[in-house]
Amino acid sequence: MSDDDRGGLHRLVAARLDEVGQLYTGNRRRLIELLADAGPSTLPELLVAGDGLAQSSAYRNLTVLAEVGVVRRLVHGGDHARWELAEELTGHHHHLVCDLCGTVVDVELPMEVESLMDRAFDAAAAAAGFDVDHHNVDILGRCADCRVTGN
Amino acid sequence: MSDDDRGGLHRLVAARLDEVGQLYTGNRRRLIELLADAGPSTLPELLVAGDGLAQSSAYRNLTVLAEVGVVRRLVHGGDHARWELAEELTGHHHHLVCDLCGTVVDVELPMEVESLMDRAFDAAAAAAGFDVDHHNVDILGRCADCRVTGN
DNA sequence: TTGCTTGCAAATGATTTGCACTGCT
DNA sequence: AGCAGTGCAAATCATTTGCAAGCAA
């Protein structure tokens, strides 16, 4: 994310919090910065990078940020959930997930692929009586690091 | 799943267990039957349907069945994980997930869509240094029941 | 001074494990 | 006999919550 977008990011988060009477405190700003810098992160990762941030505050703040729609909780197989900035802030994307170390990296797919998937998903869901709201794609495999270390 | 396949299913599971010196016991057979009948199910659902099956045995048996590759553990947002028969037994498929009640239903996508996705995913992953092993697609929305009840 | 935040400690709840017992081979 | 499977109760561990003190409008 460019430094240019960073200001807009903070302004949007502050506005969203304000709408529900919540403040954009230092802890919350730090979490947003960390997620903007590091992408999908676990709570322990955020605590290590967060310099003294209390665990309970981190969980509470991430929950609040998710409630106002600026953060999203991801759940894959590992012990800890992962948190990332919401798509409204990052754009629509999917995830590369390493089967070995659990790392999650964002990927964007070509627009034609997204629209073909949308059409296919709508059709498949309609046949089962579902109304589609959105879709998540996880691409699982081995990340560059784990390929090298032969994990 | 047809009754015809059911016999083959049990034979395959028994063989897989046998390979690692484990038995195809009544509890394990019951779990396989329940998953074949009900699709992706939570542990509480399996216990209710399982008539006296102990919780710890259910967890332990599902773990063993997953280790020999006949069962898969799914994790979406809810309180409980869900378990389903592995794709080797059911064929490749994806999931419709109800945002409101958490129900998960299997869907199959047209072959052309799968192959287009495979190609797109390989290309996107390669750009990030990932080797793709497989992919999961979750289609999220509102199931037929929740549409009716206006949950 | 009213209400949102914070950190600590305690509680919660899904899942796992220790153990003694039963049952297959 | 010898090892796998079972159920109960206790332990684990990510996450949540109660509470008292700090801080902003």
Side-chain angles (χ1 to χ4, degrees):
Chain A
M1 181 172 297
S2 74
D3 283 358
D4 201 42
D5 293 338
R6 200 50 71 83
L9 170 63
H10 288 307
R11 249 175 280 118
L12 184 99
V13 175
R16 285 300 182 77
L17 287 168
D18 189 55
E19 281 171 21
V20 296
Q22 305 255 345
L23 307 174
Y24 196 22
T25 63
N27 278 348
R28 289 172 185 176
R29 175 178 292 261
R30 198 172 313 142
L31 286 168
I32 293 291
E33 295 268 353
L34 291 172
L35 294 177
D37 289 340
S41 309
T42 63
L43 199 100
E45 287 165 359
L46 294 170
L47 292 184
V48 166
D51 184 40
L53 179 60
Q55 189 184 53
S56 62
S57 297
Y59 275 117
R60 253 191 292 235
N61 284 327
L62 289 166
T63 303
V64 170
L65 292 166
E67 279 166 356
V68 301
V70 297
V71 150
R72 178 157 76 125
R73 184 179 197 265
L74 304 178
V75 50
H76 294 110
D79 284 345
H80 293 269
R82 283 177 184 270
W83 303 81
E84 69 171 0
L85 296 184
E87 291 198 331
E88 184 181 349
L89 302 176
T90 57
H92 179 56
H93 63 272
H94 297 292
H95 294 116
L96 294 167
V97 180
C98 180
D99 279 326
L100 298 174
C101 68
T103 297
V104 177
V105 177
D106 292 351
V107 258
E108 288 190 25
L109 298 175
M111 179 190 74
E112 319 88 69
V113 175
E114 287 287 350
S115 59
L116 183 128
M117 289 194 301
D118 279 336
R119 270 178 277 128
F121 298 169
D122 278 345
F130 267 66
D131 262 349
V132 178
D133 182 51
H134 57 293
H135 64 256
N136 295 333
V137 174
D138 290 334
I139 303 171
L140 297 122
R142 187 176 292 217
C143 74
D145 279 356
C146 287
R147 286 167 70 184
V148 170
T149 60
N151 257 349
Chain B
M1 186 171 296
S2 72
D3 282 358
D4 201 40
D5 293 339
R6 202 47 72 87
L9 170 63
H10 288 307
R11 250 174 281 118
L12 183 93
V13 175
R16 285 300 182 79
L17 288 168
D18 188 54
E19 282 170 20
V20 296
Q22 305 254 345
L23 306 174
Y24 197 21
T25 64
N27 276 349
R28 290 172 184 177
R29 174 177 292 261
R30 198 173 311 143
L31 286 168
I32 293 292
E33 295 268 353
L34 291 172
L35 294 178
D37 289 340
S41 308
T42 63
L43 199 100
E45 287 166 358
L46 293 171
L47 292 184
V48 166
D51 184 40
L53 180 59
Q55 191 184 52
S56 61
S57 296
Y59 275 117
R60 253 192 289 237
N61 284 326
L62 289 166
T63 302
V64 169
L65 292 166
E67 280 167 355
V68 301
V70 297
V71 150
R72 178 157 74 127
R73 184 179 197 265
L74 304 178
V75 50
H76 295 108
D79 283 344
H80 293 269
R82 283 177 184 271
W83 303 81
E84 69 172 0
L85 294 185
E87 291 198 331
E88 184 181 349
L89 302 176
T90 57
H92 179 56
H93 64 272
H94 297 293
H95 294 117
L96 294 167
V97 180
C98 181
D99 279 326
L100 299 174
C101 69
T103 297
V104 176
V105 177
D106 292 350
V107 255
E108 289 189 25
L109 298 174
M111 179 190 74
E112 320 86 71
V113 175
E114 288 286 350
S115 59
L116 183 129
M117 290 194 301
D118 278 336
R119 269 178 277 129
F121 297 169
D122 278 344
F130 267 67
D131 263 349
V132 178
D133 182 51
H134 57 292
H135 64 257
N136 294 332
V137 174
D138 290 333
I139 303 170
L140 297 123
R142 188 175 292 216
C143 74
D145 280 356
C146 287
R147 287 168 70 184
V148 171
T149 60
N151 258 348

